[in-house]
Amino acid sequence: MNEAQQADLLDLELSHDDVDKPVSNDGMDLFSYDDVTEPMLGNNIDKDNNNNNKTNNASSTNIDIGYTGNSDNKTPQNNTDASNAKCWNVQYYQPYFDLDTSDELIRIRKALLPFLAGEFYDKDLDEKPDLYGPFWITTTLAFLMAAMGNFAAYINTNEETVGEWNGDITRISEAATFLYTGSCIVPILLYIVLKTYEENKGLIELLSLYGYSLTPFIISCILCIAPWNVFDWAVVLTAMASSILFLIKNIYKPLADEKKSKPGFYILVIIVGCQFILALALKLYFFRY
């Protein structure tokens, strides 16, 4: 039965309230139907709605079974705690990259001006080491060493040979390899020496401190584009001195008086030697022109 016939049937039913079935003028049944086996259109609509409601309720019930927790939050959550996570889990490193912009700027200022700053990690404020700042400081320095080195070589090229000048794009990979390797080796050496003499200094803290100690070299890379060799040397050596002072203030100075000779002497040798090598590489290789 199509929709038009159902509509006609409904009209006839409403207009003949006193008869059970619609009839024609000759007394014959107009339609042959059974109200039990073939209910009217209104009854079909009600039954369809009831069936749909039951189906929806059943579907909702099935969906709810697949989730745990309250009904306000049905999304499955990763309940791995950072304190219980293993070193191969991302959650293990999450606290070291959780740092506000204001805190990061304060730490950069302390690293850039160590002679004016106090303790780098304020114990009263329960400040923790981070790896976010050291990572981006090292990455930025690697880019500037290569980019500014090429730019300084270009602006210091003679006019006769400026047309033959070509930038060395491999400097970026060389600078990144050099800095990332040094940023791992130097803290590990310091950690081994301190651990040998039973000094409680974590590896993450040493990685963080050494990463921030590279901040003065970023300023030196920008200033070294000046075409004055003596000025460039002064800038690089000043950055080296500031970096060494920062590391001494935060690694050597906290040592007890009886440990200033050993392991203090070894700590000074590692700090001064490694930062001196970095300064020489910066000036004699990346800013040689």
Side-chain angles (χ1 to χ4, degrees):
M1 183 181 298
N2 57 30
E3 295 181 358
Q5 291 176 338
Q6 290 181 350
D8 294 338
L9 182 61
L10 181 60
D11 292 339
L12 288 173
E13 182 184 18
L14 296 176
S15 60
H16 296 79
D17 295 334
D18 54 341
V19 297
D20 294 335
K21 299 181 180 179
V23 295
S24 60
N25 293 331
D26 56 1
M28 298 297 295
D29 293 341
L30 184 60
F31 295 104
S32 177
Y33 71 94
D34 188 355
D35 188 58
V36 177
T37 59
E38 298 182 6
M40 302 297 292
L41 179 60
N43 294 333
N44 282 332
I45 295 175
D46 293 337
K47 290 183 178 180
D48 290 340
N49 289 335
N50 292 332
N51 291 333
N52 290 334
N53 291 333
K54 292 179 180 179
T55 302
N56 292 335
N57 293 334
S59 300
S60 301
T61 304
N62 292 333
I63 293 175
D64 290 340
I65 294 175
Y67 293 90
T68 58
N70 54 30
S71 60
D72 295 334
N73 187 9
K74 296 182 180 180
T75 303
Q77 299 293 332
N78 191 350
N79 295 325
T80 303
D81 190 4
S83 60
N84 298 327
K86 304 299 182 181
C87 61
W88 54 81
N89 293 332
V90 177
Q91 290 80 5
Y92 178 83
Y93 302 96
Q94 183 177 355
Y96 303 116
F97 290 86
D98 187 11
L99 192 68
D100 295 335
T101 303
S102 59
D103 295 336
E104 179 64 26
L105 292 176
I106 292 174
R107 294 188 176 187
I108 291 176
R109 186 176 67 240
K110 288 181 178 180
L112 192 60
L113 303 171
F115 46 87
L116 297 178
E119 190 177 8
F120 191 71
Y121 299 119
D122 195 340
K123 304 301 182 182
D124 296 333
L125 299 178
D126 195 25
E127 293 183 344
K128 303 296 183 182
D130 72 282
L131 296 177
Y132 178 82
F135 171 78
W136 284 112
I137 289 172
T138 306
T139 303
T140 303
L141 180 58
F143 173 77
L144 290 178
M145 286 172 64
M148 292 300 177
N150 281 326
F151 182 63
Y154 173 76
I155 64 176
N156 287 280
T157 304
N158 296 328
E159 295 181 359
E160 294 80 8
T161 59
V162 68
E164 302 175 358
W165 179 87
N166 291 317
D168 189 1
I169 197 172
T170 60
R171 292 279 182 92
I172 297 179
S173 59
E174 293 172 354
T177 302
F178 177 73
L179 288 176
Y180 286 129
T181 303
S183 297
C184 294
I185 292 178
V186 177
I188 290 175
L189 290 176
L190 295 172
Y191 178 76
I192 292 174
V193 172
L194 291 172
K195 202 69 175 177
T196 303
Y197 289 89
E198 298 180 353
E199 276 295 320
N200 188 17
K201 207 78 168 178
L203 180 59
I204 296 297
E205 182 177 355
L206 294 172
L207 287 168
S208 179
L209 288 172
Y210 188 79
Y212 278 108
S213 72
L214 302 178
T215 304
F217 288 102
I218 293 179
I219 306 300
S220 67
C221 286
I222 299 174
L223 297 177
C224 277
I225 62 174
W228 308 301
N229 196 41
V230 176
F231 176 78
D232 294 346
W233 273 111
V235 168
V236 172
L237 294 177
T238 302
M240 181 193 70
S242 179
S243 178
I244 291 174
L245 177 60
F246 173 79
L247 291 174
I248 290 176
K249 192 172 184 178
N250 291 280
I251 299 177
Y252 174 79
K253 190 176 179 180
L255 295 175
D257 293 337
E258 61 272 11
K259 293 186 177 181
K260 290 294 178 68
S261 57
K262 290 183 180 182
F265 176 75
Y266 303 129
I267 296 297
L268 290 176
V269 171
I270 294 174
I271 291 174
V272 175
C274 292
Q275 299 309 88
F276 183 71
I277 293 173
L278 175 58
L280 289 180
L282 181 65
K283 183 64 183 76
L284 298 180
Y285 184 77
F286 291 97
F287 286 91
R288 182 185 60 184
Y289 46 83

